[in-house]
Amino acid sequence: MNLLKRNMIIYKTAEEIEIMREAAQIVSRTLGKCAEMIAPGVTPFELDKMAEDYILSQDAVPGFKGLYDCPSTLLISVNEQVVHGLPTNRPFEEGDIVSVDCGSVYKGYYGDHAYTFMVGEVSEEKKKLLQVTYECLMLGIAEAKSGNRIGDIGFAIQQHAEKNGYGVVRDLVGHGLGKTLHEDPQVPNYGRRGKGKKIENGLTIAIEPMINMGTEKVMQLDDNWTIVTEDGQPSAHFEHDIAVINGNPEILSTFKYIEEALAKKK
């Protein structure tokens, strides 16, 4: 990030938001293709190769690969892995839950978007964790309107997660988005109503609840990337890109392609 702009929110024009919408939609389509592929026996490496090829075919480039020395297009986190899992050759197994986080850069702007998939039949406990985490995302998005503050987003997410007995990760947060992947403001998944920076038109942020079945505490593995829950219990992660337009949050990314792919598999 440009040091002169650090600690400053960079509000976007309508034209910039439309470019960011396409960047986000490229990621959405990529995740839809992941939904088509994910099954027992498929490896994270296979997903990663497909995603890189697809993003490049869309006149975009992978948003993560090479950034902070990231070696992959996707970050793929399985079960107790929270986020930032590096793709491996370990095949997915029946009952796994798999967070796939993906970024693209299109015409100089980032899209950044994630979904947690079920591999085959998963336990009722994992299904509930995914459902509540998705609900947390949507409740957080609803608070991203002019006049509110960033703390209102985190408060809504935290209240819903903790009401259901889950841990809300503190060490990782959502963020502003634009010409760089991580802009101001930080968007924690916990907070107090009425606190934090004021939300205004032109704000573009990635809201991404990371919710654990057990403790909120996490640790990093020796690969210096993968974040896991301290207690080894599962974690879920959903993420959308949001722009505040005419006072209200507008979702630039979509789960439509994922939902269509999953419906065809039933």
Side-chain angles (χ1 to χ4, degrees), residues 52-229:
E52 181 170 351
D53 290 346
Y54 180 74
I55 290 170
L56 291 171
S57 78
Q58 302 300 296
D59 296 322
V61 296
F64 298 166
K65 192 169 185 178
L67 186 69
Y68 312 129
D69 295 324
C70 179
S72 58
T73 292
L74 301 177
L75 295 171
I76 301 174
S77 308
V78 183
N79 295 328
E80 77 281 359
Q81 297 176 352
V82 181
V83 287
H84 301 169
L86 298 180
T88 69
N89 270 324
R90 173 198 175 272
F92 301 127
E93 297 178 2
E94 186 88 10
D96 285 342
I97 55 173
V98 180
S99 163
V100 181
D101 195 355
C102 180
S104 78
V105 182
Y106 177 74
K107 295 185 178 178
Y109 289 85
Y110 276 84
D112 177 21
H113 180 25
Y115 190 92
T116 301
F117 297 91
M118 296 184 287
V119 181
E121 281 300 314
V122 307
S123 68
E124 291 301 318
E125 291 81 6
K126 285 182 175 178
K127 286 180 182 176
K128 182 183 176 186
L129 174 65
L130 266 60
Q131 180 63 35
V132 170
T133 306
Y134 173 81
E135 291 167 357
C136 285
L137 172 63
M138 302 314 292
L139 289 167
I141 289 170
E143 295 297 324
K145 53 193 175 185
S146 293
N148 278 5
R149 294 187 177 270
I150 293 297
D152 295 322
I153 297 171
F155 178 85
I157 292 169
Q158 180 182 7
Q159 288 292 106
H160 190 60
E162 293 181 349
K163 180 178 70 177
N164 283 278
Y166 297 139
V168 179
V169 174
R170 262 70 168 176
D171 293 357
L172 301 142
V173 298
H175 50 89
L177 192 67
K179 287 186 174 180
T180 57
L181 181 62
H182 297 116
E183 293 185 355
D184 282 326
Q186 291 192 349
V187 186
N189 295 306
Y190 59 93
R192 295 172 59 191
R193 284 202 178 281
K195 298 295 182 180
K197 294 182 180 179
K198 192 173 182 181
I199 296 169
E200 299 178 25
N201 282 327
L203 179 70
T204 51
I205 54 176
I207 298 176
E208 50 177 324
M210 291 156 271
I211 307 299
N212 299 343
M213 193 176 287
T215 180
E216 75 277 5
K217 293 182 179 178
V218 299
M219 59 186 182
Q220 189 175 60
L221 297 185
D222 291 341
D223 63 9
N224 292 322
W225 278 93
T226 310
I227 304 294
V228 300
T229 58

